[in-house]
């Protein structure tokens, strides 16, 4: 081993073939080194379940956290991730887990890039540069990072078995066993085994003289059956194995990450990842048709490309799988392109683009020019922390009505003392609960008053960043209800308690019409735009303007702050004709 390092020092040119991989791994690192927003989603819930599993040695089979449906049965495919997450949090800490997350992502991509480099050296860099953008919104500390890892490992092992008859093929059922208990995307591994098995059979039919394929087919078929059997080794047996194909039957909430990109792109014009998805589609269709014409596309490559494309089109959280699964067959299919000066120049240009774009991520400038609330830091952000600190310190009374996006962190900080109305697990509640209760409560205030009598709400925790006419309607109705008083407001949460509880709590109420923006001091553009939007939705336009002016003082070119100011001026009047200037900055950078 020492001789290899000495040889490397004497002859650095040995690294030249790995230069594209080095650049691409650095590019991935540049946008994975960002503040992690998982606590604003469901990280708190995962940590709490991990603690329960560790302490009780049991996997909860019902909804423990909610007072609305405490006995509702559910299937938990993430229990092993939750256990690892909790153990990691008490040993290396959340920041350590964020470092481990980056290592997992880098290793997963390294396996894919290494195989792609073997197929076609000079195509790896430009094609991968486009496809890697599909990872940008999916790098938080969530169970899907293990699906990325297992996907890369599975395709690497299958490739090695195909080309070198690697004995690592026998590890695939064990990978499936871990995968089925870690993340719901475990069928991806089975699909890839099916594609390689089909490729062996197809080659056997076309090339009858390849007798060695008989043994490959036999071995992989046994591995394939063993992997299917491995999916049964989960807490819910056959129901757990089939759950990825049935879980939407009881899913009463439309979550953005579960929406198809083809649907989402029609009204979410601020997400620039869609641009790279369309460019990726162009590359895919080009490779597909050229491969057919040149007869260079194999059964295996076609199957992998379609699998990656299918996952990417199915949901936003499937976008990274287009890179992990389809990149190698695309590079291989286009392998007939000869090395030439133009291709070498393209690689040099892409290297420059990677350095340029990576600088924007690592400097934090990129996030100031987009709608992304991240910063360039290795920090686990918990925007609800101050609000829940207030709940704990003042012993806010329950039952609490909380919104969908606030349940996970609330239960993380307060369980078992507090129970939630709802949390970020649609599968833990009947679909009818969302359809007939939760959403109608915000849309029609009379429904809320009816449910208030039923559940006896004493406090309300609401995320002020909640969007839509229903949330705005609810906020306005509650603000004018004399039975409810605001006791807490920051850049993320607003908390109400019933008027008859104020005296016993010894808490002063906050009159939102008299909020003084000068008393709120933040270093974040998003903090002020959140408050500005809240004031705008409540009809306090002058206060909204002052809050947004604070945001613009921090980030004059921030698209969110400019968009908010444009809307304020459109509503209140624009004597200086500045709306056009603000709107022109509301799109941010194009990439």
């Amino acid at each position: 081993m020492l001789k290899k390092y000495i040889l490397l020092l004497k002859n650095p040119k040995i690294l030249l073939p790995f230069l594209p991989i080095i650049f691409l791994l650095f590019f991935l690192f540049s946008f994975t080194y960002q503040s992690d927003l998982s606590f604003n989603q469901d990280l708190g819930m995962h940590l709490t379940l991990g603690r329960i599993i560790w302490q009780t040695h049991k996997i909860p089979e019902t909804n423990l956290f909610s007072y609305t449906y405490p006995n509702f049965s559910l299937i938990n495919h993430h229990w092993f991730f939750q256990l690892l997450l909790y153990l990691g949090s008490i040993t290396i800490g959340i920041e350590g887990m964020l470092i481990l997350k980056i290592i997992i992502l880098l290793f997963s991509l390294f396996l894919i890039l290494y195989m792609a480099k073997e197929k076609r050296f000079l195509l790896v860099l430009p094609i991968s540069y486009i496809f890697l953008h599909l990872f940008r919104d999916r790098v938080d500390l969530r169970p899907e990072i293990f699906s990325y890892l297992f996907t890369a490992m599975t395709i690497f092992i299958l490739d090695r078995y195909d080309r070198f008859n690697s004995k690592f093929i026998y590890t695939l059922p064990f990978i499936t066993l871990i995968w089925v208990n870690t993340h719901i995307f475990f069928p991806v591994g089975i699909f890839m085994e099916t594609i390689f098995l089909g490729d062996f059979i197809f080659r056997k039919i076309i090339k009858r003289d390849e007798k060695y394929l008989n043994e490959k087919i036999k071995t992989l078929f046994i591995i394939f059956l063993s992997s299917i059997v491995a999916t049964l080794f989960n807490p819910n047996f056959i129901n757990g194995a089939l759950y990825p194909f049935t879980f939407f039957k009881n899913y009463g909430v439309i979550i953005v990450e579960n929406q198809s990109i083809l649907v989402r792109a029609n009204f979410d014009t601020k997400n620039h990842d869609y641009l790279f998805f369309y460019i990726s589609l162009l590359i895919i269709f080009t490779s597909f048709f050229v491969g057919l014409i040149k007869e260079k596309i194999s059964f295996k490559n076609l199957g992998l490309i379609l699998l990656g494309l299918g996952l990417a089109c199915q949901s936003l959280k499937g976008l990274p799988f287009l890179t992990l699964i389809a990149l190698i067959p695309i590079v291989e299919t286009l392998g007939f392109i000869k090395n030439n000066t133009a291709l070498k120049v393209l690689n040099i240009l892409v290297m420059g683009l990677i350095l340029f774009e990576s600088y924007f991520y690592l400097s934090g400038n990129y996030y100031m020019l987009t709608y992304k609330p991240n910063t360039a830091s290795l920090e686990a952000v918990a925007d609800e922390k101050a609000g829940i600190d207030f709940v704990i310190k003042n012993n806010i009374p329950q039952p609490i009505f909380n919104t969908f996006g606030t349940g996970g962190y609330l239960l993380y900080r307060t369980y078992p003392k507090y129970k939630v109305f709802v949390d970020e697990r649609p599968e833990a509640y009947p679909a009818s609960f969302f359809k007939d209760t939760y959403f109608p409560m915000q849309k029609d205030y009379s429904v809320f008053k009816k449910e208030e009598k039923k559940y006896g709400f004493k406090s309300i925790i609401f995320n002020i960043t909640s969007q839509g006419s229903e949330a705005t309607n609810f906020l306005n109705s509650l603000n004018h209800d004399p039975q409810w008083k605001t006791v807490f407001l920051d850049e993320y949460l607003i908390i109400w308690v019933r008027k008859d509880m104020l005296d016993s709590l010894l808490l002063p109420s906050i009159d939102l019409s008299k909020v003084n923006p000068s008393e709120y001091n933040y270093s974040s553009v998003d903090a002020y735009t959140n408050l500005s939007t809240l004031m705008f939705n409540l009809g306090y336009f002058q206060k909204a303007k002052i809050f947004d002016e604070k945001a613009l003082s921090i980030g004059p070119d921030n698209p969110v702050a400019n968009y908010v100011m444009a809307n304020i001026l459109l509503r209140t009047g624009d004597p200086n004709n500045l709306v056009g200037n603000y709107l022109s900055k509301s799109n941010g950078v194009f990439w």
Side-chain angles (χ1 to χ4, degrees):
M1 181 66 69
L2 181 60
K3 291 182 179 180
K4 291 183 178 180
Y5 287 120
I6 294 174
L7 181 62
L8 181 60
L9 291 173
K10 290 182 178 179
N11 187 15
K13 290 184 178 179
I14 295 177
L15 280 176
L16 187 60
F18 292 93
L19 196 58
I21 295 180
I22 294 172
F23 264 80
L24 290 166
L25 290 178
F26 174 71
F27 182 56
L28 176 64
F29 171 78
S30 70
F31 59 78
T32 53
Y33 184 80
Q34 62 175 232
S35 55
D36 190 282
L37 306 180
S38 305
F39 269 123
N40 296 340
Q41 301 171 66
D42 51 15
L43 184 64
M45 179 269 297
H46 287 308
L47 281 165
T48 306
L49 281 169
R51 172 169 59 85
I52 292 171
I53 293 168
W54 176 251
Q55 293 175 347
T56 65
H57 304 103
K58 294 180 180 179
I59 302 168
E61 297 179 352
T62 58
N63 183 354
L64 299 177
F65 305 132
S66 173
Y67 63 83
T68 52
Y69 288 92
N71 298 316
F72 192 80
S73 61
L74 53 86
I75 292 175
N76 184 358
H77 264 300
H78 305 147
W79 72 267
F80 190 58
F81 165 79
Q82 292 159 353
L83 180 61
L84 293 176
L85 179 67
Y86 172 69
L87 294 177
S89 70
I90 63 176
T91 52
I92 62 177
I94 293 297
E95 287 73 19
M97 292 300 292
L98 295 182
I99 294 173
L100 180 61
K101 172 196 71 173
I102 294 176
I103 293 173
I104 290 174
L105 291 171
L106 290 174
F107 178 72
S108 302
L109 183 64
F110 171 77
L111 292 178
I112 300 300
L113 294 177
Y114 184 81
M115 287 184 284
K117 180 187 74 69
E118 292 178 323
K119 308 297 183 182
R120 190 70 170 83
F121 172 67
L122 285 178
L123 287 176
V124 172
L125 190 67
I127 295 178
S128 300
Y129 170 67
I130 297 297
F131 277 73
L132 270 180
H133 286 85
L134 304 180
F135 263 94
R136 289 191 301 185
D137 278 349
R138 310 303 308 178
V139 295
D140 283 341
L141 182 56
R142 307 187 72 187
E144 63 199 56
I145 64 171
F146 283 97
S147 276
Y148 303 156
L149 174 63
F150 296 143
T151 296
M153 291 176 64
T154 298
I155 198 170
F156 182 84
I157 290 170
L158 286 168
D159 178 78
R160 261 39 198 171
Y161 178 66
D162 182 13
R163 298 172 60 194
F164 308 117
N165 209 29
S166 171
K167 299 301 181 183
F168 280 107
I169 192 70
Y170 296 105
T171 65
L172 289 183
F174 298 100
I175 291 175
T176 302
L177 177 63
I178 300 173
W179 200 346
V180 72
N181 292 289
T182 308
H183 190 236
I184 199 170
F185 269 43
F186 65 88
V188 172
I190 306 294
F191 291 151
M192 288 191 292
E193 291 180 27
T194 304
I195 290 170
F196 272 80
L197 182 61
D199 184 63
F200 290 157
I201 295 173
F202 183 79
R203 283 154 53 185
K204 171 67 178 176
I205 295 173
I206 300 300
K207 301 178 180 179
R208 300 178 182 276
D209 58 331
E210 295 190 15
K211 296 181 180 180
Y212 75 96
L213 283 173
N214 290 331
E215 188 63 31
K216 281 186 176 291
I217 292 171
K218 179 181 176 181
T219 300
L220 187 53
F221 183 70
I222 294 173
I223 296 297
F224 169 73
L225 292 179
S226 300
S227 295
I228 292 178
V229 172
T231 65
L232 300 175
F233 287 85
N234 69 84
N236 299 94
F237 195 56
I238 186 68
N239 290 331
L242 297 177
Y243 190 58
F245 309 102
T246 62
F247 79 101
F248 273 126
K249 290 183 178 180
N250 178 60
Y251 221 76
V253 179
I254 299 177
I255 298 179
V256 171
E257 68 175 26
N258 289 329
Q259 289 185 290
S260 167
I261 188 172
L262 302 177
V263 173
R264 189 71 189 169
N266 290 328
F267 52 89
D268 186 6
T269 59
K270 306 301 182 183
N271 191 328
H272 302 302
D273 291 342
Y274 302 156
L275 167 65
F276 292 95
F277 174 73
Y278 294 135
I279 298 175
S280 299
L281 281 184
L282 179 62
I283 295 172
I284 288 172
F285 289 129
T286 299
S287 67
F288 177 75
F289 288 114
V290 173
L292 286 178
I293 294 172
K294 296 285 186 177
E295 297 184 352
K296 295 291 184 180
I297 191 166
S298 65
F299 180 93
K300 174 190 68 180
N301 287 345
L302 177 61
L304 291 174
I305 290 173
L306 291 177
L307 175 60
L309 188 59
L311 290 170
C313 291
Q314 180 194 39
S315 64
L316 294 181
K317 65 182 179 183
L319 283 176
F321 292 92
L322 185 60
T323 303
L324 294 169
I325 298 175
L327 180 62
I328 298 170
I330 289 171
V331 171
E332 184 176 2
T333 301
L334 296 175
F336 65 89
I337 300 176
K338 296 180 179 180
N339 293 342
N340 52 55
T341 303
L343 195 55
K344 294 177 181 178
V345 170
L346 177 62
N347 273 264
I348 294 173
L349 290 174
V350 171
M351 287 182 186
L353 286 173
I354 286 176
L355 293 176
F356 172 79
E357 191 171 336
S358 298
Y359 163 76
F360 270 89
Y361 296 132
L362 294 172
S363 67
N365 292 330
Y366 177 78
Y367 306 111
M368 290 293 290
L369 298 172
T370 68
Y371 281 72
K372 297 177 183 291
N374 305 83
T375 58
S377 64
L378 197 63
E379 175 188 10
V381 176
D383 287 329
E384 298 172 37
K385 183 180 184 304
I388 304 306
D389 284 345
F390 180 87
V391 170
I392 296 171
K393 178 182 178 181
N394 295 283
N395 199 27
I396 295 299
Q398 53 181 327
I400 294 174
F401 169 67
N402 66 281
T403 47
F404 180 79
T406 61
Y409 191 76
L410 175 61
L411 65 88
Y412 164 63
R413 293 288 307 281
T414 64
Y415 180 82
K417 179 180 179 179
Y418 282 89
K419 295 292 184 71
V420 300
F421 183 78
V422 68
D423 62 73
E424 293 92 328
R425 299 171 300 165
E427 69 277 10
Y429 302 82
S432 59
F433 168 69
F434 294 100
K435 179 182 178 182
D436 301 330
T437 303
Y438 178 73
F439 289 119
M441 286 172 67
Q442 297 181 54
K443 186 176 182 180
D444 185 346
Y445 198 64
S446 64
V447 177
F448 169 78
K449 298 301 288 185
K450 177 182 176 182
E451 298 299 327
E452 180 186 352
K453 291 180 181 180
K454 174 182 177 181
Y455 290 107
F457 301 135
K458 295 181 180 178
S459 307
I460 298 172
I461 299 178
F462 204 91
N463 182 345
I464 69 170
T465 63
S466 298
Q467 301 296 321
S469 58
E470 290 85 0
T472 300
N473 174 72
F474 181 77
L475 285 167
N476 275 280
S477 298
L478 197 59
N479 190 41
H480 291 93
D481 188 337
Q483 293 183 2
W484 289 96
K485 296 297 181 181
T486 306
V487 294
F488 177 86
L489 173 66
D490 71 356
E491 78 277 20
Y492 199 77
L493 288 183
I494 185 168
I495 300 174
W496 290 274
V497 297
R498 286 188 58 85
K499 181 181 178 180
D500 53 14
M501 302 296 297
L502 282 180
D503 292 337
S504 61
L505 293 173
L506 300 177
L507 286 175
S509 63
I510 300 172
D511 187 341
L512 296 179
S513 67
K514 297 178 181 179
V515 164
N516 186 356
S518 64
E519 295 179 356
Y520 291 81
N521 296 297
Y522 302 104
S523 59
S524 164
V525 171
D526 297 295
Y528 289 121
T529 55
N530 289 346
L531 285 164
S532 177
T533 302
L534 172 67
M535 292 294 133
F536 181 87
N537 289 337
L538 293 176
Y540 305 134
F541 302 120
Q542 188 57 36
K543 297 183 185 303
K545 186 176 182 181
I546 296 173
F547 274 122
D548 198 57
E549 286 172 346
K550 284 193 167 191
L552 288 167
S553 69
I554 298 173
D557 296 318
N558 182 268
V560 182
N562 280 277
Y563 180 76
V564 170
M565 183 58 73
N567 280 278
I568 293 172
L569 293 179
L570 284 170
R571 185 65 178 267
T572 61
D574 181 23
N576 297 317
N577 297 317
L578 295 176
V579 170
N581 294 337
Y582 289 116
L583 286 176
S584 66
K585 295 181 180 181
S586 65
N587 290 321
V589 294
F590 72 89
W591 78 90

